Amino acid sequence: MAKCSLCKQEGHRKSSCLVAQAQAQGEFSITLEPEVIEKLDRLAQLCVEVATGLGKGHVEAHYQQALYMELQDAGIKYVAEEAMPIMYKGRALGGTCSTRLDVMLHNFLPFIFELKAEGNRIKSKHHWQLVRYMDYKKVPYGAVVNFNQSEKDPLEIHFIVSHEGEYWLYDPDSLTGRKLIDFSLVAPVHQVQTEVEAEDGESTQEE
């Protein structure tokens, strides 16, 4: 019987492997403890409860207060609006350069909520906002939650996990993640400039 060279499972080849298809789309299997997966699902359920209980038409602070109530009822300890300095090379930036975490759990699971109530979908800038919080607090799990205010879009919950030194946008249903690529992993600025200059030279020659 055929055995996939990638996942080592019998009955199919690499060309029909779901793992290979996920990797082709930049998604990779991420193994989390079953207990962690169950707790992520539980936290998602609390957000669903808030969304259905309040409905649309509220500002972020209203959903945040309702989530506090759900956490309290579930016996989950949390810290709200914790101040966080913005660090650069080991030093806090001056002036008004600081921010606040919306909700950080202190038991149940090391986890940070970043809450939104916008009319647009969650964007990559929101992922990076949460990543910076997670990195500073050394918390491996978090979620950007958007209580979407558009007429057609539903509640959005984007989980982010720290796995093997990288941050991943994690899908609990497929147990896969897409790596979030930071500036440190892209081409150096001088390389980008060289490529732009080369393209400009080609354009001049064509003219």
Side-chain angles (χ1 to χ4, degrees):
M1 181 177 292
K3 178 182 289 189
C4 176
S5 61
L6 183 63
C7 72
K8 309 305 180 184
Q9 297 295 314
E10 295 184 348
H12 63 87
R13 299 181 183 279
K14 185 176 179 179
S15 59
S16 61
C17 178
L18 294 178
V19 173
Q21 294 173 14
Q23 290 186 2
Q25 298 174 2
E27 299 172 356
F28 295 83
S29 176
I30 295 180
T31 303
L32 300 180
E33 295 293 332
E35 180 183 4
V36 171
I37 296 174
E38 291 177 5
K39 288 184 175 181
L40 293 180
D41 182 65
R42 177 60 179 144
L43 294 175
Q45 291 175 13
L46 297 184
C47 295
V48 171
E49 190 72 19
V50 170
T52 55
L54 282 180
K56 297 189 183 235
H58 295 275
V59 298
E60 178 185 318
H62 299 172
Y63 297 105
Q64 190 166 332
Q65 289 293 328
L67 180 60
Y68 296 163
M69 295 174 66
E70 291 294 338
L71 292 171
Q72 292 165 10
D73 290 346
I76 300 175
K77 297 180 181 179
Y78 63 91
V79 172
E81 297 289 340
E82 180 177 350
M84 190 190 88
I86 305 300
M87 306 299 295
Y88 178 69
K89 294 186 176 181
R91 292 180 292 170
L93 298 181
T96 59
C97 295
S98 64
T99 187
R100 291 182 179 275
L101 308 180
D102 286 338
V103 189
M104 188 172 77
L105 307 188
H106 267 207
N107 67 339
F108 189 74
L109 193 68
F111 190 95
I112 294 174
F113 279 109
E114 174 58 29
L115 305 180
K116 307 292 180 185
E118 301 185 358
N120 299 312
R121 307 298 294 269
I122 293 174
K123 297 180 173 60
S124 61
K125 66 179 182 180
H126 302 137
H127 297 154
W128 287 115
Q129 184 180 6
L130 176 59
V131 165
R132 296 283 78 91
Y133 296 162
M134 293 170 63
D135 184 58
Y136 179 77
K137 300 298 292 186
K138 307 303 179 189
V139 170
Y141 309 107
V144 181
V145 181
N146 184 23
F147 297 94
N148 200 299
Q149 297 300 298
S150 74
E151 293 183 357
K152 62 180 181 179
D153 290 324
L155 170 72
E156 295 179 282
I157 304 174
H158 288 193
F159 287 105
I160 293 177
V161 303
S162 175
H163 180 71
E164 297 182 350
E166 305 285 355
Y167 287 96
W168 301 75
L169 186 61
Y170 180 71
D171 180 6
D173 294 329
S174 63
L175 306 181
T176 62
R178 176 171 59 80
K179 187 187 295 186
L180 299 176
I181 306 299
D182 208 338
F183 286 132
S184 60
L185 301 180
V186 301
V189 174
H190 67 82
Q191 180 179 335
V192 174
Q193 290 175 338
T194 301
E195 292 174 351
V196 171
E197 291 170 357
E199 291 176 358
D200 290 342
E202 292 176 359
S203 299
T204 302
Q205 291 176 3
E206 290 176 358
E207 293 174 358

